[in-house]
Each structure stands twice: as structure tokens, then as C-alpha cells.
Amino acid sequence: MPAGADGEPGNRAARGGLPVPPRRRRVLTTSTSRAEKARALRGLGALGGLAGLLVALMLLPTACTAGVGARDTARWFDSEPVDLTTSGVPQRSTILAADGSKIATFFYQNRVDVPLAKIAPVVRQAVLAIEDSRFYEHGAIDMQGTLRAFASNLSSGQVTQGGSGITQQYVKNLLLTQADNNEEREAAKEVTAARKIRELRYAVAVEEKFGKDEILRRYLNIAYYGDGAYGVEAASRHYFSKHASELNLPEAALLAGIIRYPYAYDPTRHPGEARQRRDTVLDRMAELGWIDRAKADAARSRPIQLDVDNLRSGCVTSRSAFFCDYVQREILTNPVFGKTPKDREKLLKRGGLTIRTTMDPRAQKAAQRAVDQHVPPKNSAHKAAAEAMVEPGTGEIKALVVDRRLGPDKERGKTWINFAADASHGSSIGMQAGSTFKAFTLAAALDEGLPFGTRLMAPREFTPVGFRNCDGARVGDPGASLRNAADGEGGKEFSLVTGTHHSVNTFFLALEKKVGLCDTVKMAERLGMRQANGKPLEEYPAFTLGFNPVSPLRLAAAYAAFGARGEYCRPTAIKAVGDASGHRLKVPGRDCEQVIDEGVADAVNYVLQGVLTKGTAQGMGIGRPAAGKTGTVDDFSAAWFAGYTPELAAAVWVGDPRGGYRYPMGNLCMDGTCYGSVFGATIPAPIWQQSMSGALAGTAASSFQRPPSHYFSKGSGEDRAKVPDVRGMKPAEAVARLRAAGFQTEVGEPVESRRYKKGTVAEMNPGPGSAEPGTTITLRVSEGSDEPGDGGGPGPGGPPRPSPPVTVPPLPGDPAQQAPA
């Protein structure tokens, strides 16, 4: 703790650590014991010796310089010490959201450096009055003050006054705040002549280097004001919730009085002593004539009125604790912020940084509310949830949440582990991602040009053989049998589209084998995927089923690349950093790369949109173009949902921090609600739906681009449906019937027919049977026959009768279509 005005610690009472008022007593009396006399004489001798030394040092710079030794000594004293650094006073750093709102504050000492103009003049007067009223009149060393203190101490037999002026106090505090270890801190506080000589020499150098106003400014910004507040601005905010420029006379006197003994005069702990000290300052100001007595008395009559703002360092009390923790770890681990961990920590906690981040408070709030509502922090099942939101095209992290509070795991509802991030930024070893990894196999297949209508047999069981990893080695287990999850099915053919919509395990194993395990792995790697522990993805046939442990943040960034039409951006949380002087520091830059063709990404988006409309997450749409994929891990040990729009991507994990396989979600009941078996669509998808809706509220919606036509070369990839036989029906009835079955229609040229009456459908192409939904069925209407007796053709001796026009009923919202019969 920085020293008070005298530079030495005050006397302490036996209990409570409070200073006791010095008792004025005669040096020696008849009742004084021999031991007491000896101690007193030793003390006085030390005081006398120290005073003599101080006087000699004060006179030394201007003394006669006859003689080489005296001249060299004077030069040593006047020269600026090479080890004196007047910069680097610790200041607090602030982390801000994208809109400028405060997320958290970090500090070694809670200090905000301000210019003298932003410190109320009454504050400067109060401090000078009680600490060094002759500051602007003397040099580095105040001879009068030192001699006066010596006389007072000599008369009392103990140290009751200090002779240190503002400059000397500043030097001592500077040395103390810049100490990097206990040894340096102890050296800065030791009560020795050597320390005093060193401080005096530094004081002379400071006076040579700076003007009086600048020294006073530095002193006011470095002094300790108790209760964790360093510097007058931080003290003003802490005790009165206002700026130092706004302080009035009683408040200024209170702060000025604290400086000598910050603990003893701390108004939050010792309000009585603090008030007495404040009044002493007011009396001194009146004694000096700096304020009139009436004003001093009026201020003395007022009780101490505090409005305490208990600012805490770090992320624990932040409303966005896990995003804050991510930013903190980014600074502490990224070499761009310093060569060593110690350098980076010093920059964060002492550098007075303003750190502007990518966090969108609206998205953060929506995500936090969603995970907390669906998986409460102290839920009865001990489950947890985490979500990460990333902006496509920039990689900016818009939200990062966990349904816990940041704190010790032994306290229910708290954890130190950031489940949304990798181990390097949150200590999490990751969680198996389940079927969300099927999107990478799909992307690899589309990247190789496979059309949507590509169909593969999905057996009920799949033996993982015939696979090679990226080293060319065979991998797989002939004795294993991989099956479909409960949200999948097998035993029939699926297309790229329907296999994805239904999340069929054996279909994706067959697809992975077709495109190659290595190609699938490389696709995931191109999209930024790694294990949460930082290691490369493991390569085995079950890769497409998501056995690799990953973080929601990496998964969200990968899916964001689909939304950005194939441009992957490394997740980033920091946009800009400025130091205490306003200079911008280097930060990690935007790191984006086109990793897959735009058309491939468009095709992925086309398929994954169907998951929300007709697949495993049907009904989880958000009222705007969106795509996604569910993920259910083996034995219901975890569940996921990853989804995105062109504006925002998010990934949600739900599981058990104690271990998903030990505590699965096969028959989950939580806080009175029973879910049965938890799939990706059971809890994660509703969290995603709620958080995305909140995050994107009021944001204009964009559409995905239509995939290149070659992906439709084998149709849309949808399941084939029965084409109803509409021959013989009136055209309007036939069109309605076909559209109800999921097909498009058009009317071609009329055709002669003896079988079907004139004006009814005589032909359809393709004909009755099966076809993919959306297929266009061409209808041809009968115009009768030229043979007599048919009833549809022209009668003998007469001209042919024109057929009436055929009206085709429009689809909802489409213009009416008409075709002649």
C-alpha cells in the first residue's frame, strides 16, 4: 500500500489495526525506566542522524564544490537516475461490447488516469493543504517541512510528522506501484537512510523533468485512497459514483484526508475516523486562508454521504461472463499482445486498455435467456447448455453463453469451464458433435459434383470396412456394426436430400465411403474444424457421425461459412484495442478465406433448409430463410443443433458436465418436465430457434442463392411420390389433384381420343406411377374423335365444334394460368 504523507507507516493500536493519536510526552522523566531511557535515546539518535543526513543532502547540490569528491557527489545527486521510470503507472482496462457498453474491467490497481483539468480545483487545494501547502514554493526537498517535522518528532520522542513533500511521496508511490515482486515492494517501503537517499535523488530528477502542475497531476493519479481505489478519479467514482471534476468541498476534503493512512481513514470501514480526518483537512484549508471559516464550518457540519460503486476486477461479476472470459484468454494467450504470458497479463491488468469487442448485446441477451429458460443453471438433472453465435463473412463472435455463472464448480449453478469455447479459451475439452458432422460429408459429396438425386442404399447395419485415412492407411473394424440412431431409418434408398433430412447414419456412412473419408475430413478442416483440445480431427469411418469432441464456437464458425457462400472466417472477438494514451495497438486481423465454391455452399444451404421444414427439426423455423442440422450423440449422451441464416450462425450443445455417457439423456426429466429421449430437436433446436429469433429481431432477412442447375440433373432429390391417375377428369379437377400430391402441372396441345370424352384429360406425362415431388406433369385434353358416333367429333356434314378453353386453377399467390383445349 502506498505510503502516507510522511512516507512511513503510522502507529497501530493493539486491536483492529487503527492508528492511535500520538501521545505527547516528555522525553525523560523520573519514572522512566533505564530500558525506556535507552530506547528513547536510540530513537532520538536515529532521528537526529536521519535529520542531519537529510539536511546535508538538501544542502549538497548547492554546497561548495571545492574538492573532487564533493563535485562528483553533487553530479551523482543531480544526474537523472537511469533506473527511474516515470511511466507505466498501473491503470485499469475496460472491455466493451460492440455498442460501447461495458462488459468488464481488469486491473492490478483500480486506477483511471485523468488530466489536471478533470480534477476539481477544490480537490487540489484540499490535498495540498494537508500534504504539502508549500509545494509550489520549494524544490524537490522542503527544508522547512523537514526541519519542522524533525522538531516535532524530537519533542514527542517518536515519529509523529513526516517531512516528505508531494514530489517525494510521488516517487515512493511510483517505485511501489512499479515493483514486480515482493522483494522490490519491500525495498520501496523499508525504513532506512539508503531508501530515503534514493527517493530524494529521484525527487530531484522528477523536479528537473516535470513542472509542478504535472507532478501534482501524477501524484493525485497515483495515490492510494483506500478500499481498492487508486488515483483520485477511481476514488471519486468508488466513494461517490461521480467524476473527480464533480466533487464538492466536503467530498474533496474526505479524499484528501484518506491519503496519509488509507486503511485507517477508509470511510466504508471507519466512518468516524474518516470524518474527523476530513474536518482536520477543512480546518487546515481555513487556517491557510484558502477557504473562509464559515465555509469550513458549514462543510464540517455535514455528515459523510457515500454512494459506493463496488467495481470488481475480472469477469466473474460480468453479465457476459463467458464471453468476457474468452476475450481475457485471447489477450493472455495470443503473442500479438506480448511476447510472454507475464507481458500479456501486465498489459491487461496495468495497461489502461480500452478493448472493443464484437459482442452484440442483443444477441448475447437472447442467447443467455434461451439457454437459461430451457436448461436452468441449477436444474434438477444437473444438465448444462452452451451456445455460440458467429456472423457469416466476418467471423465476429456475436454471443457466447453457458447456462451457468462463472465460478467454482463446487457451487451449484457455477463453473469455471467455458463449454462454448475450445480448451485454449475456456478449458473445455469439447463434446462429441453427433450428426452435425454429416453436413461436412454432404459438402464433400456436393463438392465432387454429386447431384441432389444421387441415391444410395442405406442398410439397417453398416460394417465399416474399405476406408482409408489421409495417410492412405486402411481404417475400420470388420467386426463392428454401425446402426441408425433413433432419429434415422434404414433398409431403403435415400438421396442426398432425403438422407440428410432424415439424418440416416448408414446412408452417410455409405456416402462417406463413396466420396472418401479423407475428402470428408479435409472438408471439415477447410471449414475450421479441429478438436477442442487443439489437436487435428481423428480419422475413422464414424467421422461422419461426429465422434470428434469439438466446441460450439468452432461448429458455429463452420456453419457460418455455408451462410457466407463458402467463405470461412476464423472466429474473432476483439475489434480494436487502445492504450491509456489513446494509441491503437495491433490486434489479430480479419482472417477469411474462400474454402469451398459458392455453388457448393448454395447446394448445402438448399439441402439443409429442408431439415427445418420437412426433416428432423421440422417446425423449428424462425420465419425467414434458415438452414441447419440436428445432432444426437450415441446413447443420448449429448444433443446439438447448428443452424444459420445469411446474417448469423449459431451452434447449441446440451449435455451433462459430469460425463454424457455416465449421465445420458435417454429418459430425461428436468425441473418437473419429462422429455423422454433427448434428440437434437428436443432441447437444442428450441434454444436455437428462440435465441436466433431474438438476435435477428428487426434485422432485414436475406435469402439463400439458388444452387447451380447441374445439381438438379437427377431431380430435386426429394422422396418419390405416387402420381395419381387423373385421366378422364376435367382439367381443373386433374390439376388440383396433382398439386395436392406435390406435383407441378402444365397443359399441352389437345389430342384426339376415342377413349376419353372431349374436354377431359386424355394423356399425362409422366404417367401414373411414381415421381419426385415437384415434378411437372404435362396434361393433354381430349378433343374427341373424327369417327362418327363418337359424340365428341364433328357430326356428319357439319364443321368441327370448337372446344371450350381449359382453366387451370392457380397455386395460392400465383396468377391464373389458361390454356386452350
Side-chain angles (χ1 to χ4, degrees):
M1 181 180 297
D6 57 3
E8 312 296 338
N11 291 333
R12 303 283 175 181
R15 296 185 183 140
L18 298 178
V20 292
R23 292 190 302 242
R24 302 195 56 89
R25 58 184 177 84
R26 289 170 294 181
V27 178
L28 299 174
T29 69
T30 55
S31 61
T32 304
S33 68
R34 179 174 294 180
E36 288 175 329
K37 291 177 182 178
R39 283 197 300 271
L41 291 174
R42 284 197 300 269
L44 291 174
L47 287 170
L50 179 57
L53 176 62
L54 295 179
V55 172
L57 288 172
M58 285 184 279
L59 297 175
L60 184 57
T62 57
C64 175
T65 56
V68 177
R71 181 175 62 250
D72 291 343
T73 302
R75 287 176 179 173
W76 172 85
F77 196 79
D78 281 336
S79 62
E80 182 173 340
V82 294
D83 58 342
L84 174 63
T85 302
T86 54
S87 61
V89 175
Q91 297 188 54
R92 71 189 191 190
S93 297
T94 304
I95 299 178
L96 304 177
D99 66 351
S101 58
K102 186 168 69 174
I103 295 174
T105 304
F106 287 84
F107 51 81
Y108 165 71
Q109 294 177 347
N110 178 20
R111 178 183 287 104
V112 180
D113 198 89
V114 292
L116 201 61
K118 291 190 177 182
I119 302 173
V122 69
V123 177
R124 301 176 232 163
Q125 286 182 329
V127 172
L128 289 173
I130 197 66
E131 295 295 335
D132 191 351
S133 62
R134 298 183 60 258
F135 173 67
Y136 282 93
E137 301 171 24
H138 63 71
I141 305 167
D142 182 9
M143 181 183 295
Q144 290 184 21
T146 301
L147 293 175
R148 182 180 63 249
F150 171 66
S152 175
N153 295 335
L154 185 63
S155 66
S156 65
Q158 56 184 320
V159 178
T160 59
Q161 291 188 22
S164 298
I166 292 291
T167 306
Q168 291 171 255
Q169 291 185 53
Y170 165 67
V171 166
K172 178 172 182 178
N173 285 318
L174 183 65
L175 294 173
L176 187 59
T177 56
Q178 292 180 342
D180 287 329
N181 51 57
N182 290 332
E183 183 178 350
E184 292 179 0
R185 280 187 283 273
E186 290 302 317
K189 294 187 294 184
E190 64 183 355
V191 184
T192 63
R195 191 212 80 195
K196 207 67 177 180
I197 293 172
R198 184 173 70 250
E199 287 180 9
L200 289 172
R201 184 188 178 205
Y202 288 166
V204 170
V206 168
E207 290 269 353
E208 288 292 325
K209 188 171 185 178
F210 303 113
K212 287 289 189 177
D213 282 352
E214 177 61 14
I215 295 172
L216 178 60
R217 183 196 74 81
R218 288 170 174 260
Y219 172 72
L220 293 173
N221 279 296
I222 202 173
Y224 181 52
Y225 292 83
D227 206 28
Y230 291 81
V232 67
E233 176 68 13
S236 180
R237 295 186 194 181
H238 174 63
Y239 290 118
F240 305 113
S241 296
K242 62 171 65 173
H243 294 290
S245 60
E246 303 169 325
L247 293 172
N248 58 34
L249 175 60
E251 293 165 345
L254 179 70
L255 293 186
I258 294 174
I259 296 175
R260 176 168 294 190
Y261 300 123
Y263 179 81
Y265 298 132
D266 178 350
T268 64
R269 292 183 173 88
H270 311 298
E273 288 80 356
R275 181 169 182 173
Q276 290 178 14
R277 179 65 174 171
R278 180 203 68 178
D279 294 347
T280 299
V281 175
L282 293 169
D283 289 341
R284 177 61 176 162
M285 294 176 74
E287 178 185 330
L288 292 169
W290 294 358
I291 60 174
D292 57 54
R293 173 51 63 181
K295 195 172 184 180
D297 291 342
R300 283 172 57 95
S301 67
R302 294 176 60 178
I304 291 178
Q305 295 179 323
L306 303 179
D307 183 8
V308 177
D309 178 13
N310 284 312
L311 181 68
R312 294 291 178 261
S313 176
C315 298
V316 173
T317 58
S318 172
R319 293 184 179 180
S320 306
F322 289 95
F323 180 87
C324 171
D325 185 62
Y326 183 92
V327 173
Q328 177 188 8
R329 291 172 187 261
E330 172 68 11
I331 293 174
L332 295 179
T333 59
N334 196 321
V336 75
F337 296 109
K339 293 182 179 180
T340 67
K342 185 177 180 179
D343 291 339
R344 297 190 286 268
E345 182 177 11
K346 187 174 182 178
L347 177 68
L348 176 62
K349 295 185 178 180
R350 299 187 178 207
L353 306 180
T354 299
I355 304 162
R356 299 187 180 277
T357 72
T358 60
M359 191 196 86
D360 177 359
R362 179 175 59 178
Q364 179 78 11
K365 185 177 181 180
Q368 191 69 63
R369 182 186 296 117
V371 298
D372 286 350
Q373 286 184 2
H374 290 274
V375 188
K378 297 181 181 180
N379 66 81
S380 61
H382 302 283
K383 299 306 180 233
E387 181 173 18
M389 289 183 161
V390 175
E391 183 177 65
T394 66
E396 292 187 359
I397 304 171
K398 296 301 180 182
L400 205 66
V401 301
V402 176
D403 74 320
R404 294 283 190 274
R405 302 298 171 258
L406 192 63
D409 297 74
K410 62 182 179 181
E411 296 183 33
R412 190 177 176 194
K414 293 184 178 181
T415 183
W416 289 118
I417 299 175
N418 188 347
F419 294 111
D422 283 358
S424 61
H425 288 73
S427 302
S428 173
I429 60 173
M431 294 74 67
Q432 290 185 338
S435 296
T436 58
F437 259 48
K438 291 173 182 174
F440 305 132
T441 310
L442 171 67
L446 295 169
D447 190 47
E448 293 185 7
L450 271 64
F452 297 136
T454 301
R455 293 182 177 274
L456 298 173
M457 183 65 186
R460 297 190 182 279
E461 297 183 1
F462 187 94
T463 301
V465 294
F467 291 83
R468 290 183 182 273
N469 63 21
C470 291
D471 292 329
R474 292 184 179 276
V475 290
D477 182 0
S481 180
L482 302 177
R483 298 177 175 82
N484 291 300
D487 56 347
E489 49 190 303
K492 60 180 182 180
E493 279 191 349
F494 292 90
S495 69
L496 293 186
V497 173
T498 57
T500 302
H501 291 174
H502 295 281
S503 195
V504 185
N505 285 356
T506 55
F507 170 82
F508 272 94
L509 287 163
L511 182 62
E512 182 184 58
K513 187 173 182 179
K514 182 178 180 65
V515 302
L517 170 61
C518 182
D519 287 351
T520 299
V521 172
K522 287 188 176 299
M523 174 58 70
E525 290 176 342
R526 283 155 64 184
L527 292 165
M529 295 307 300
R530 294 178 68 85
Q531 293 188 70
N533 60 13
K535 296 180 180 179
L537 299 168
E538 293 189 352
E539 304 172 26
Y540 294 101
F543 179 90
T544 190
L545 305 184
F547 70 83
N548 275 282
V550 299
S551 69
L553 179 59
R554 280 198 180 269
L555 193 63
Y559 274 61
F562 295 140
R565 304 190 69 199
E567 184 183 28
Y568 171 77
C569 298
R570 182 185 59 81
T572 181
I574 299 175
K575 299 180 75 171
V577 177
D579 64 15
S581 301
H583 300 125
R584 297 192 68 167
L585 305 182
K586 183 179 179 180
V587 299
R590 181 175 178 268
D591 186 6
C592 298
E593 181 182 358
Q594 192 74 31
V595 295
I596 55 177
D597 291 341
E598 289 183 349
V600 174
D602 295 337
V604 172
N605 301 337
Y606 171 83
V607 176
L608 294 186
Q609 285 183 84
V611 174
L612 291 165
T613 58
K614 61 191 75 172
T616 53
Q618 184 175 358
M620 290 292 116
I622 55 175
R624 60 199 294 154
K629 183 69 187 74
T630 54
T632 306
V633 185
D634 288 349
D635 300 327
F636 303 102
S637 58
W640 290 75
F641 187 83
Y644 57 98
T645 70
E647 298 81 24
L648 188 64
V652 179
W653 162 82
V654 175
D656 199 306
R658 300 169 297 176
Y661 286 103
R662 289 178 58 200
Y663 302 96
M665 298 184 292
N667 189 21
L668 178 66
C669 287
M670 183 168 57
D671 294 343
T673 300
C674 291
Y675 298 91
S677 297
V678 175
F679 300 93
T682 308
I683 300 178
I687 292 175
W688 178 87
Q689 182 185 51
Q690 179 181 338
S691 60
M692 288 286 285
S693 296
L696 294 172
T699 303
S702 302
S703 298
F704 294 110
Q705 299 293 317
R706 180 174 174 80
S709 59
H710 67 82
Y711 287 112
F712 295 94
S713 61
K714 291 187 178 181
S716 67
E718 300 285 353
D719 281 335
R720 300 178 71 87
K722 182 179 180 180
V723 181
D725 189 350
V726 297
R727 290 173 297 182
M729 296 182 182
K730 293 289 186 180
E733 181 186 0
V735 168
R737 179 79 176 275
L738 288 168
R739 286 181 174 173
F743 300 98
Q744 303 295 319
T745 60
E746 66 178 10
V747 178
E749 294 293 325
V751 63
E752 291 185 2
S753 173
R754 298 181 57 191
R755 181 175 181 183
Y756 296 103
K757 291 182 180 181
K758 184 177 182 178
T760 64
V761 176
E763 292 182 5
M764 51 187 296
N765 184 31
S770 64
E772 288 189 354
T775 300
T776 299
I777 309 297
T778 302
L779 304 178
R780 303 181 71 183
V781 179
S782 171
E783 60 178 10
S785 171
D786 289 334
E787 296 184 13
D790 160 349
R801 298 190 300 272
S803 300
V806 177
T807 300
V808 179
L811 288 171
D814 289 345
Q817 303 178 48
Q818 289 190 344

